[in-house]
Amino acid sequence: MYKLDFPSPLGIVEITSTENAITSVIFAEREQAIYEQTGETPAVLKDCYDQLIQYFNGERTEFNVLYEMNGTDFQENVWKALTTVPFAKTESYKDIAIKVGNEKAVRAVGTTNGKNPISIIVPCHRIIGANGKLTGYGGGLWRKEWLLEHEKKTAKE
């Protein structure tokens, strides 16, 4: 397992990978980067780092880095459905439940959304309550709000 810290405007983002695929992108609740690029940093990790720079600079609206997520069939279906929510748009937990074929699984979708190991790239921040309100985000609601505003500004430019 390899790790690399990305210093984002929202704090440190810890990226982990195997030799070939990203396995997590999470907000690390620490002030200083610990994991830095070395000669042994896999290309996929460097690529993810570069794509995050582009995203936060407003130059990237889609990610094409290879990632790997392991969960139940339901979880994997929910995470896949998250990737269909367009940049700078939002959908509700119910919308995702419908996409995965179980309209009544709204709470399960919310729980699974909260367990997304690859934030930003698999855009769980784009999922909101049916009433249009921001609800739940593993990285904190303030980060969710920031990401949504960032995407709206980027889309208008």
Side-chain angles (χ1 to χ4, degrees), residues 4-153:
L4 183 58
D5 280 352
F6 174 77
S8 83
L10 301 172
I12 301 296
V13 176
E14 183 184 275
I15 314 163
T16 61
S17 77
T18 63
E19 191 72 36
N20 303 308
I22 298 300
T23 55
S24 72
V25 176
I26 57 169
F27 289 101
E29 297 303 329
R30 61 177 180 267
E31 307 226 354
Q32 296 292 323
I34 297 173
Y35 306 107
E36 298 179 0
Q37 287 191 49
T38 68
E40 296 178 15
T41 302
V44 70
L45 203 48
K46 291 177 184 176
D47 191 32
C48 183
Y49 188 96
D50 291 344
Q51 288 188 33
L52 286 171
I53 289 172
Q54 294 162 2
Y55 171 83
F56 282 105
N57 285 342
E59 302 162 357
R60 176 174 289 277
T61 60
E62 292 181 20
F63 292 91
N64 61 10
V65 67
L66 182 62
Y67 59 85
E68 187 176 279
M69 300 174 83
N70 296 307
T72 65
D73 288 345
F74 179 80
Q75 288 173 325
E76 290 180 12
N77 287 335
V78 168
W79 294 329
K80 186 175 181 183
L82 297 177
T83 65
T84 68
V85 180
F87 184 83
K89 302 291 183 192
T90 58
E91 291 188 11
S92 71
Y93 295 96
K94 185 172 184 174
D95 293 332
I96 300 300
I98 291 167
K99 283 184 179 184
V100 300
N102 190 345
E103 184 176 348
K104 297 190 185 295
V106 175
R107 286 184 188 267
V109 164
T111 299
T112 299
N113 198 52
K115 292 180 180 177
N116 172 19
I118 303 184
S119 64
I120 304 170
I121 294 171
V122 176
C124 55
H125 61 277
R126 296 182 191 151
I127 310 306
I128 60 174
N131 61 1
K133 302 261 188 207
L134 298 186
T135 59
Y137 186 64
L141 283 180
W142 69 274
R143 285 187 176 117
K144 183 174 191 167
E145 182 176 19
W146 191 98
L147 290 166
L148 292 172
E149 287 301 315
H150 170 70
E151 290 186 3
K152 284 179 190 172
K153 281 190 273 183

